[in-house]
Structure formats: C-alpha cells, structure tokens
Amino acid sequence: QAEDGIRDCLLSRGLGDVYKRQDFMIKIGVIGAGGNTISAHLPKLIDQKDVEVIAVANRTISSGNKVAKKFNIKHVYSDWQEVIMNDEVDAICIGTWPYMHATISIEALESGKHVLTEARMAMDSDEAEAMFNVSKNYPELITQIVPAPHTLPYDKTIKNWVANEMGDLIFFDVKSTTGEFIDYDREIHWRENRDLSGNNIMHMGIFYESAMRWLGTASSVMAVSNVNVKKRHSSETGHLMDISIPDHLEAIGEMNIGGNFHLSHSTVLGGAEKIEINIYGTNSTLRISEDPSSKILQSHNTSKLKMEILNKNSNKWKELKPKKSQIGKWRVEEEFINAIKGKEKISHTTFSDGVKYMQFADALKISSESNRKVYLPLSK
C-alpha cells in the first residue's frame, strides 16, 4: 500500500522514471537532536544511499548550530515548524521527548512528510490514537517509531521458541531495575517529569513492546505503584519539582494468548538484578538475563543478554544461542528509508503497535490510581 502511494505520488508529478529507479534523493529534517539522534539517527541516516539531512531545529539555535556543523546540515531553524514548512524536506526525524511527538507527527503528516519518531510514541493513548488515525489518512506516507532495542538480536529466536517449544503460556514474569539505591540528591530526569513524559513509566514501555513481539498483548492488568522520591531539583527551573511518575511499579494480569503475567519495574531497589525475564510454558521455560561474562554492548548500546531453556523432560538448563540467520540488529534508519523507497514495510515499530503499548501505559495508571482491574484494549 505504501509502495502504491509512493508510485502514484511520483507519477502525478511526472516522475515515473524516478520511481522505476527507486534511487531518488530523500531529504530529511530533524526536530530535536538529543543523544539518540546524534549517536544513531543522524549518522545512520546519512550513511544510507540517496539520503541527505538538510534541516535541523533543536532546543536552542546555538545547540542546533553545533549539530549542523558536526553533520554538515545547511538549514538551522529556531522554530521546529520551519523544518516542516521547508518544501525540500521529504521526511521528519523527531528526537524530542514524548510531549512533542503527537503535535509534530500530525503536523508533519498533514504537510506531506514521512515521520520517524523517537519512543515512547506519545504522552498517552489519546495522543497515540490521534497520531495513528491521522497516519491512516495518508497511506502513501511512512510512519515509524524507534523500537525498543535491547532484544532485537534475540527476538526471532524467542518467537521461534514460543511457537515450537513453549507449549501453552502459563506465566510471563519480567523484572527490570537499575539495581541502585535511592540517590536523593540527583536532579530530576525527564522520564520523571510528567509534563515531558506523560503516562510513560520508567522503562516499562520498552519491555512491554518486546513482550508484544513474542507473546502478543495483555487482556487485563492490575497495578500498584509508589513514588518514593516525591520532589527533585531541576537545574532548568532552579526549583524543586513535584514527581508523580512512579519509581516502583508492580503489575499482574492476563495475556490474550492465555496465561498470566507479572511486571516489576523499579529505580529504587539497591542490589537487584537489572534484567530477569522468565517465560513459563507447559513444555519449556525460557530464562533471559544480562550476560555477566560480557562487557560488550550490543544492539545500539544495550547489554548483551543470556538465554537459557529448561525443557519438560530435562533436568538441566541449557543455553539457547541464536542461529546466525536469526540474529537481529539495529536497522531503524535503514528500514525507514527502504520503506519510503517502497523496498520493505515497517516492522519495528508501527504506529499501530505504539497505540497498544500506550494503552497499556494508561491502563497501569488507571489501575494503580483506582485500585481496580482494567481491561484491554481500553474502551473510549
């Protein structure tokens, strides 16, 4: 469908020969050039064939100028809307915090630009659904959310295990922590600021997105949460800021494929393991953890993971190593450009998937505040 839209668009402009070659120059505008944009998106976009980054708007004109100088970007704007209004720009890369994702995405789409936006998709599911609904009005335009990266090398192996070895799901258990004790003196992080992050909670969305790839979505959730540090200093405002986003969360619920789940996310459990994931099936159990023997970062600066399985008729755990052909990698920018050229479809991550994980984030907030079970998908 995207390829048909691109073809029709080019044909209407008398550029049928360009479509046949599929080597037309794609010009990118960047709005928000934070750490991930500078370390990944910009260099990897520029590395693609027939791609040029021509415009940038950052939080200040001076920081925009620094980015432009580093990556040889010719247009620097103080207003992000000027990037979208630049008629040369074909696609927008959004590197802001979640509070701007919906506004920029919708305006970009309505201006005829393809959209690659950082995760989390939006502030809440209402914004996410608005983005998705607008995107459906422009099927010729490509939309993509930067995916959760930490399981990319293992996703195909895990999905294969689920399909062929797990049996029926009994229980899915995820524990994710920083392993650190509370630091009362550090400044507020943007993930703790609801005005910037909305209903997203710590790294919960990243792990739920990965779980969706393996097991599908949850059908219900009950959550309890706590804010252990209720105020932190902000260097930007010079004042203490109230914190309402939990720093510890526990959730249980049911999966659509059957079975139950438990999610535990925390930034306040000193000494806890950072990643502990267990998928218990009727025929086999899969255990996923950080690989203690490796100090090498992989899949866009995430820790290497170790996978072990215990089968029903065995009493010994054995390591599950991905086959070479199944090892995934970070290819966000490549996938985005290829999709614009009509060479592949977006798999990591679609706006439809983003709506699902944003509904889950909203359900956690509703449940923890109302002390009740919440069913998914949310009814509007």
Side-chain angles (χ1 to χ4, degrees), residues 40-106:
H41 305 325
L42 276 169
K44 292 180 185 296
L45 282 168
I46 292 169
D47 193 46
Q48 301 300 309
K49 183 182 178 184
D50 304 316
V51 173
E52 183 182 5
V53 179
I54 67 166
V56 62
N58 210 16
R59 296 183 72 195
T60 65
I61 196 73
S62 61
S63 63
N65 281 324
K66 289 179 182 177
V67 174
K69 183 177 180 181
K70 181 174 181 178
F71 294 100
N72 195 28
I73 302 171
K74 61 182 177 181
H75 299 293
V76 182
Y77 299 114
S78 58
D79 185 342
W80 62 266
Q81 289 177 308
E82 291 183 273
V83 178
I84 294 175
M85 289 188 292
N86 186 321
D87 290 335
E88 288 187 89
V89 171
D90 302 302
I92 302 295
C93 175
I94 303 170
T96 67
W97 295 316
Y99 77 116
M100 290 294 293
H101 291 180
T103 301
I104 298 172
S105 293
I106 290 171

Side-chain angles (χ1 to χ4, degrees), residues 105-208:
S105 293
I106 290 171
E107 187 160 331
L109 289 168
E110 291 178 340
S111 300
K113 318 292 187 183
H114 307 283
V115 171
L116 169 64
T117 182
E118 267 294 346
R120 301 288 84 206
M121 183 177 183
M123 296 277 276
D124 54 39
S125 65
D126 287 339
E127 285 192 353
E129 287 173 9
M131 292 165 67
F132 182 45
N133 288 334
V134 170
S135 74
K136 289 188 288 188
N137 295 330
Y138 304 95
E140 75 280 7
L141 296 176
I142 300 303
T143 53
Q144 181 181 13
I145 307 169
V146 175
H150 60 296
T151 66
L152 289 176
Y154 317 102
D155 285 336
K156 289 182 179 178
T157 302
I158 296 170
K159 288 170 70 175
N160 184 66
W161 173 85
V162 168
N164 298 302
E165 297 186 52
M166 180 184 75
D168 295 328
L169 178 67
I170 298 174
F171 187 50
F172 174 52
D173 187 26
V174 177
K175 297 175 185 176
S176 167
T177 80
T178 59
E180 300 170 341
F181 287 95
I182 295 175
D183 179 357
Y184 291 97
D185 298 324
R186 70 165 173 81
E187 292 193 352
I188 189 170
H189 189 277
W190 68 266
R191 291 186 185 277
E192 298 167 314
N193 186 340
R194 194 173 292 279
D195 292 338
L196 302 179
S197 198
N199 290 346
N200 297 291
I201 301 172
M202 295 175 282
H203 293 85
M204 180 281 305
I206 294 173
F207 284 86
Y208 186 69

